[in-house]
Amino acid sequence: MTTDYTGEAPGTRDLGGGLTLTKVSVGPMDNNAYLLTDAGGEQLLIDAANDAPALLKLIGDGGLATVVTTHQHQDHWFALAEVVAATGAASLAHEADAGALPVVTRTLRDGDTVEVGGHRLEVIHVVGHTPGSIVLAYQEPGGGRVHLFTGDSLFPGGVGNTRGVRENFESLIDDVEHKLFDRFPDDTWFYPGHGKDSTLGAERPAVPQWRDRGW
């Protein structure tokens, strides 16, 4: 794995087994988009958030097999229709959020897998920021480090915005705690929908504080 990756955009790192991650920030809300590229050339994009020309330049001539949208908010799919039209990529989203997107060719559920060049990412349904928010989990070959693409459900410093709706916050904090923190180890690296990355170990001590404060 590369040692110069800082978690800031733009950045590139080796995820092992011939899979490379490129992180960019696009649009007026500084949305993160993540391109996974297999050694054989197959590519998967997480969140075609904005600035389709920039994303298409990043994708390059190798084409794009799949776009996965982490949730229904428009700042995470503003460029989706244009990217899909230009590349012919499949467009995937959770079934509970798919209706808000301009194009979806396959819906997802908790426990499904998404593949890029034979590498599998597990779909983890995390409810609260939106009804169909998902996290994608990838583990490096040989039981190596886990990488989580968390959309707007988990950030350094807290869970995603639930707009003061207590029921949504309780659902989100429960899912984040039990489906992510209780399951994965401290060295698990996560990639949010905005801003810098972090690890579960760095954030774990604060989870009870997040729950107590209610946001």
Side-chain angles (χ1 to χ4, degrees):
M1 180 180 295
T2 55
T3 58
D4 57 351
Y5 180 82
T6 66
E8 300 277 6
T12 300
R13 78 186 307 182
D14 178 8
L15 300 186
L19 189 65
T20 301
L21 162 71
T22 302
K23 174 179 181 174
V24 296
S25 177
V26 292
M29 298 183 68
D30 290 325
N31 286 76
N32 293 326
Y34 300 95
L35 183 69
L36 299 178
T37 304
D38 173 66
E42 186 170 321
Q43 299 193 111
L44 178 149
L45 181 67
I46 300 171
D47 284 348
N50 208 310
D51 197 350
L55 294 178
L56 292 171
K57 182 178 180 180
L58 175 67
I59 292 162
D61 295 334
L64 184 69
T66 309
V67 183
V68 181
T69 303
T70 58
H71 63 287
Q72 66 175 264
H73 290 154
Q74 188 177 24
D75 60 309
H76 291 264
W77 58 258
F78 192 79
L80 177 62
E82 190 170 346
V83 167
V84 168
T87 63
S91 174
L92 281 54
H94 191 274
E95 59 185 4
D97 275 10
L101 276 60
V103 53
V104 174
T105 56
R106 173 187 160 197
T107 58
L108 301 170
R109 295 183 177 184
D110 189 63
D112 285 350
T113 58
V114 178
E115 294 195 12
V116 52
H119 304 276
R120 290 189 173 186
L121 292 84
E122 178 189 349
V123 176
I124 303 172
H125 186 202
V126 178
V127 181
H129 182 66
T130 67
S133 290
I134 59 171
V135 172
L136 296 176
Y138 168 75
Q139 185 168 32
E140 294 178 18
R145 185 196 293 260
V146 175
H147 301 263
L148 302 176
F149 299 90
T150 58
D152 282 359
S153 291
L154 175 63
F155 294 95
V159 296
N161 188 355
T162 54
R163 293 166 179 78
V165 180
R166 184 70 191 180
E167 180 181 0
N168 290 348
F169 170 76
E170 290 177 354
S171 174
L172 181 56
I173 194 72
D174 283 348
D175 277 359
V176 164
E177 183 170 5
H178 300 313
K179 293 185 175 183
L180 304 182
F181 283 95
D182 286 355
R183 177 179 173 188
F184 298 108
D186 282 351
D187 69 348
T188 300
W189 195 284
F190 71 87
Y191 307 82
H194 306 263
K196 192 174 180 178
D197 310 343
S198 186
T199 65
L200 293 188
E203 308 300 323
R204 190 184 304 277
V207 174
Q209 299 171 27
W210 302 349
R211 184 179 289 277
D212 288 344
R213 77 190 182 191
W215 56 272

Short mmCIF file of all heavy atoms in Angstrom, two decimals, residues 72 93-101 107-109 125 127 130-133:
data_model
loop_
_atom_site.label_atom_id
_atom_site.label_comp_id
_atom_site.label_asym_id
_atom_site.label_seq_id
_atom_site.Cartn_x
_atom_site.Cartn_y
_atom_site.Cartn_z
N GLN A 72 -29.60 9.14 -1.91
CA GLN A 72 -30.44 9.84 -2.87
C GLN A 72 -30.21 11.35 -2.98
O GLN A 72 -30.80 11.98 -3.86
CB GLN A 72 -31.92 9.61 -2.52
CG GLN A 72 -32.35 10.21 -1.21
CD GLN A 72 -33.85 10.07 -0.98
OE1 GLN A 72 -34.62 10.98 -1.25
NE2 GLN A 72 -34.27 8.90 -0.49
N ALA A 93 -28.01 1.52 -6.94
CA ALA A 93 -28.36 2.24 -5.72
C ALA A 93 -29.28 1.36 -4.90
O ALA A 93 -29.92 0.43 -5.42
CB ALA A 93 -29.05 3.57 -6.04
N HIS A 94 -29.38 1.66 -3.60
CA HIS A 94 -30.29 0.89 -2.76
C HIS A 94 -31.73 1.11 -3.20
O HIS A 94 -32.12 2.21 -3.62
CB HIS A 94 -30.14 1.29 -1.30
CG HIS A 94 -30.85 0.37 -0.36
ND1 HIS A 94 -32.19 0.53 -0.05
CD2 HIS A 94 -30.43 -0.75 0.30
CE1 HIS A 94 -32.55 -0.45 0.78
NE2 HIS A 94 -31.51 -1.24 1.00
N GLU A 95 -32.53 0.07 -3.07
CA GLU A 95 -33.90 0.12 -3.57
C GLU A 95 -34.73 1.22 -2.89
O GLU A 95 -35.64 1.79 -3.51
CB GLU A 95 -34.58 -1.23 -3.39
CG GLU A 95 -34.64 -1.72 -1.96
CD GLU A 95 -35.22 -3.13 -1.85
OE1 GLU A 95 -35.50 -3.75 -2.90
OE2 GLU A 95 -35.39 -3.61 -0.71
N ALA A 96 -34.40 1.57 -1.65
CA ALA A 96 -35.19 2.57 -0.94
C ALA A 96 -34.90 4.00 -1.39
O ALA A 96 -35.69 4.90 -1.12
CB ALA A 96 -34.95 2.47 0.57
N ASP A 97 -33.77 4.22 -2.06
CA ASP A 97 -33.41 5.54 -2.56
C ASP A 97 -33.44 5.64 -4.08
O ASP A 97 -33.32 6.74 -4.63
CB ASP A 97 -32.00 5.93 -2.08
CG ASP A 97 -32.00 6.54 -0.68
OD1 ASP A 97 -33.04 6.50 -0.02
OD2 ASP A 97 -30.94 7.05 -0.27
N ALA A 98 -33.59 4.52 -4.76
CA ALA A 98 -33.43 4.49 -6.22
C ALA A 98 -34.42 5.39 -6.94
O ALA A 98 -34.10 5.97 -7.99
CB ALA A 98 -33.56 3.06 -6.72
N GLY A 99 -35.62 5.54 -6.40
CA GLY A 99 -36.64 6.33 -7.09
C GLY A 99 -36.31 7.79 -7.24
O GLY A 99 -36.87 8.46 -8.11
N ALA A 100 -35.39 8.30 -6.43
CA ALA A 100 -35.02 9.71 -6.50
C ALA A 100 -33.92 9.98 -7.51
O ALA A 100 -33.62 11.14 -7.80
CB ALA A 100 -34.56 10.20 -5.12
N LEU A 101 -33.32 8.93 -8.06
CA LEU A 101 -32.19 9.09 -8.97
C LEU A 101 -32.66 9.12 -10.43
O LEU A 101 -33.69 8.53 -10.77
CB LEU A 101 -31.19 7.94 -8.79
CG LEU A 101 -30.16 8.11 -7.66
CD1 LEU A 101 -30.81 8.26 -6.31
CD2 LEU A 101 -29.19 6.93 -7.66
N THR A 107 -31.04 -2.37 -8.48
CA THR A 107 -31.18 -1.93 -7.09
C THR A 107 -30.46 -2.90 -6.16
O THR A 107 -30.27 -4.08 -6.48
CB THR A 107 -32.65 -1.81 -6.68
OG1 THR A 107 -33.30 -3.06 -6.86
CG2 THR A 107 -33.35 -0.73 -7.50
N LEU A 108 -30.07 -2.37 -5.00
CA LEU A 108 -29.27 -3.10 -4.03
C LEU A 108 -30.02 -3.27 -2.72
O LEU A 108 -30.89 -2.46 -2.39
CB LEU A 108 -27.96 -2.34 -3.76
CG LEU A 108 -27.06 -2.10 -4.97
CD1 LEU A 108 -25.94 -1.14 -4.60
CD2 LEU A 108 -26.49 -3.43 -5.50
N ARG A 109 -29.63 -4.30 -1.98
CA ARG A 109 -30.13 -4.54 -0.63
C ARG A 109 -28.95 -4.85 0.28
O ARG A 109 -27.86 -5.17 -0.18
CB ARG A 109 -31.12 -5.71 -0.61
CG ARG A 109 -32.40 -5.48 -1.38
CD ARG A 109 -33.32 -6.68 -1.23
NE ARG A 109 -34.61 -6.50 -1.90
CZ ARG A 109 -35.60 -7.35 -1.86
NH1 ARG A 109 -35.46 -8.49 -1.16
NH2 ARG A 109 -36.75 -7.12 -2.48
N HIS A 125 -26.48 -1.67 4.48
CA HIS A 125 -27.57 -0.70 4.52
C HIS A 125 -27.55 0.01 5.86
O HIS A 125 -27.64 -0.63 6.92
CB HIS A 125 -28.89 -1.44 4.30
CG HIS A 125 -30.08 -0.56 4.17
ND1 HIS A 125 -31.37 -1.01 4.41
CD2 HIS A 125 -30.22 0.75 3.83
CE1 HIS A 125 -32.22 -0.03 4.21
NE2 HIS A 125 -31.55 1.05 3.87
N VAL A 127 -29.44 3.06 7.79
CA VAL A 127 -30.65 3.88 7.66
C VAL A 127 -30.59 5.08 8.60
O VAL A 127 -30.23 4.94 9.77
CB VAL A 127 -31.90 3.05 7.99
CG1 VAL A 127 -33.16 3.88 7.84
CG2 VAL A 127 -31.97 1.81 7.10
N THR A 130 -30.60 8.92 4.94
CA THR A 130 -31.74 8.71 4.03
C THR A 130 -32.21 7.28 4.26
O THR A 130 -31.51 6.46 4.86
CB THR A 130 -31.35 8.89 2.54
OG1 THR A 130 -30.44 7.84 2.16
CG2 THR A 130 -30.72 10.26 2.29
N PRO A 131 -33.40 6.92 3.74
CA PRO A 131 -33.88 5.55 3.92
C PRO A 131 -33.00 4.50 3.26
O PRO A 131 -32.95 3.36 3.72
CB PRO A 131 -35.27 5.58 3.29
CG PRO A 131 -35.69 7.01 3.35
CD PRO A 131 -34.43 7.80 3.17
N GLY A 132 -32.33 4.87 2.17
CA GLY A 132 -31.56 3.89 1.41
C GLY A 132 -30.07 4.15 1.37
O GLY A 132 -29.39 3.72 0.43
N SER A 133 -29.53 4.82 2.38
CA SER A 133 -28.09 5.04 2.42
C SER A 133 -27.35 3.71 2.54
O SER A 133 -27.78 2.80 3.25
CB SER A 133 -27.71 5.92 3.61
OG SER A 133 -28.14 7.25 3.43
#
